[in-house]
Amino acid sequence: MVANKFQTGFDEPLLQTMFVDKKLGGANTVQTLSRLNRNRRGKDATMVLDFVNDPELVQADFQHFYGKNFMEEENETDPNSLYDVLNQVEEYKIFYETEVNTFAEIFFRKGDDFELLQPILNSISTRFADELEEEDQLGFKAAAKSFIKIYRFLSQIITFTDVELEKKYVFLTALLKKLPYIQSNLPLDVVNDIELDSYKIQFKFQNDLSLVKEDGEDYGMTPEGTGGNIDEDVDYLSNIIKVLNDTFGLELTEEDKLDFNRVKKNLYDNQELMSYFNKQNSKNDIKDKFEEEVDDEFLNFINTKLDFYNKMTDDKANGLFKNLLFQEIYNREVRGLRK
């Protein structure tokens, strides 16, 4: 099992098998899996048991670094992009220049006065939580991370004369660690309804990945997007399918997603059902009616897609699907929360 601190410089020739249970990408893929490539007498093969990553993406990561790497001049990192992304950060107006200057004065002076930084960060963190909607909170964090990433890279190869950039760098680095965590993939009350009481281990396939000798083109760093979900840009229904697959091993496919969409559309088109979604009805009464209509929708598949019907009428999978989809519709129609 490989932790981040063992991704580079970990040299153990006896290492022959690696278990991977985290998402890898780009240079991290090569750095991590290459811990197996140390020679040792009697060691004539290695193996990776991967629970997460797509073999084709792993192969592409290795292929990129297999030959010579080059970068066209127009693809180099533009130092001016720092100012562009910093403008995006400042547009959210959650901190003042006086706070940045006070922070920098304490941070860079001699002495161990770092506890004096906390009141500044606490004040901004409260402002962040109280004044920004969740979408803007995500946008601010994404822009700040992009600025930090580009500055950290460029500061290793060029010397900046603008001291304000260094002040903003140390300030935003500390602030991001202080800001509250945002988890928006699934509502908290839905997550609380999920209880793991069983899991399924299933062998997928075994594969040897081969490479061809060719050069790989690199690109400089650019400001990343600042809107939407930072970790993954998937629609709510895809998220539900992923939860069902990961929890119960149902192996629902893209074709099944079309059927889910049909069920969802029919539910929204059901005027009698949608009339129940109002503040005058209790949440439990609405949910009872909703679950009854969902079961009726699944009955439509019993003669045409029996496998899909069997998967979605399993008690645990059926209950989880209803909870997830109900929460989305309830939030939209009753609470007025739009995605």
Side-chain angles (χ1 to χ4, degrees):
M1 304 294 287
V2 181
N4 281 344
K5 64 181 179 180
F6 292 142
Q7 282 187 317
T8 58
F10 182 67
D11 187 0
E12 175 48 71
L14 289 173
L15 189 62
Q16 188 271 343
T17 300
M18 185 179 295
F19 299 86
V20 179
D21 193 21
K22 62 176 291 185
K23 195 71 176 175
L24 300 173
N28 277 340
T29 304
V30 179
Q31 291 280 13
T32 302
L33 302 185
S34 293
R35 299 308 99 201
L36 296 175
N37 66 7
R38 306 307 192 257
N39 292 327
R40 171 81 179 185
R41 179 179 297 179
K43 178 180 172 181
D44 55 6
T46 60
M47 186 186 76
V48 176
L49 183 58
D50 195 324
F51 296 91
V52 179
N53 298 282
D54 186 334
E56 293 183 358
L57 298 180
V58 171
Q59 183 181 33
D61 289 337
F62 272 89
Q63 182 62 60
H64 179 75
F65 296 101
Y66 192 60
K68 296 179 181 179
N69 290 78
F70 65 94
M71 183 183 298
E72 300 290 352
E73 185 175 355
E74 62 268 20
N75 294 330
E76 294 178 358
T77 303
D78 180 9
N80 292 320
S81 64
L82 263 178
Y83 293 96
D84 295 334
V85 73
L86 183 57
N87 287 336
Q88 295 176 4
V89 172
E90 293 175 340
E91 284 176 357
Y92 291 95
K93 302 183 186 304
I94 70 160
F95 60 84
Y96 307 113
E97 284 299 315
T98 54
E99 292 172 319
V100 176
N101 291 333
T102 303
F103 181 95
E105 181 183 346
I106 299 171
F107 184 89
F108 288 111
R109 75 189 179 193
K110 292 182 179 180
D112 187 12
D113 298 326
F114 287 164
E115 71 276 2
L116 300 178
L117 301 174
Q118 298 310 308
I120 302 173
L121 298 176
N122 289 338
S123 177
I124 301 171
S125 182
T126 300
R127 198 178 304 142
F128 171 88
D130 293 344
E131 298 182 8
L132 295 184
E133 299 293 334
E134 182 176 301
E135 183 177 353
D136 289 333
Q137 291 177 358
L138 291 169
F140 174 82
K141 282 192 169 185
K145 287 180 180 179
S146 185
F147 173 81
I148 291 170
K149 186 177 179 181
I150 296 176
Y151 182 84
R152 184 180 293 147
F153 171 73
L154 288 175
S155 63
Q156 299 178 57
I157 55 178
I158 63 177
T159 302
F160 289 105
T161 58
D162 187 350
V163 296
E164 294 299 317
L165 292 176
E166 177 70 14
K167 288 163 62 174
K168 294 289 175 54
Y169 167 72
V170 297
F171 169 74
L172 289 173
T173 300
L175 179 60
L176 279 179
K177 297 176 182 178
K178 196 72 175 179
L179 295 179
Y181 175 71
I182 304 169
Q183 183 176 1
S184 60
N185 284 346
L186 290 173
L188 183 60
D189 45 359
V190 174
V191 175
N192 288 338
D193 284 340
I194 302 174
E195 294 182 2
L196 177 64
D197 59 10
S198 63
Y199 63 92
K200 178 181 180 181
I201 299 177
Q202 181 177 6
F203 175 77
K204 293 289 188 177
F205 55 84
Q206 181 174 325
N207 197 6
D208 292 324
L209 305 179
S210 59
L211 304 175
V212 296
K213 191 169 181 59
E214 61 182 22
D215 298 338
E217 183 176 5
D218 285 317
Y219 296 85
M221 299 179 67
T222 58
E224 298 170 355
T226 61
N229 193 311
I230 298 174
D231 295 321
E232 52 182 334
D233 183 21
V234 295
D235 60 69
Y236 198 87
L237 191 55
S238 295
N239 212 347
I240 292 177
I241 293 173
K242 183 178 186 302
V243 171
L244 290 170
N245 283 336
D246 292 347
T247 306
F248 302 112
L250 296 183
E251 299 183 356
L252 297 166
T253 65
E254 285 299 312
E255 182 180 351
D256 293 325
K257 183 178 177 180
L258 296 177
D259 295 325
F260 279 119
N261 271 320
R262 189 177 301 114
V263 170
K264 183 177 178 181
K265 181 180 184 302
N266 289 344
L267 292 173
Y268 270 107
D269 290 344
N270 186 331
Q271 295 183 4
E272 180 184 0
L273 170 63
M274 298 312 294
S275 68
Y276 273 74
F277 282 86
N278 63 75
K279 295 181 179 180
Q280 281 68 47
N281 292 326
S282 71
K283 188 173 182 178
N284 287 335
D285 287 342
I286 301 173
K287 191 173 183 181
D288 288 341
K289 177 63 175 177
F290 171 81
E291 292 185 349
E292 178 184 321
E293 296 297 331
V294 171
D295 288 335
D296 286 345
E297 287 296 326
F298 283 138
L299 276 175
N300 295 329
F301 294 95
I302 193 169
N303 293 321
T304 56
K305 292 191 174 181
L306 184 59
D307 182 58
F308 178 74
Y309 171 81
N310 288 335
K311 289 178 181 179
M312 295 315 303
T313 52
D314 172 81
D315 288 343
K316 294 177 182 178
N318 181 271
L320 180 55
F321 172 78
K322 288 175 179 175
N323 282 338
L324 295 172
L325 186 57
F326 172 78
Q327 195 62 47
E328 181 206 5
I329 299 177
Y330 185 84
N331 284 341
R332 177 184 292 270
E333 300 300 323
V334 180
R335 299 178 63 196
L337 301 179
R338 304 282 167 171
K339 290 191 176 292

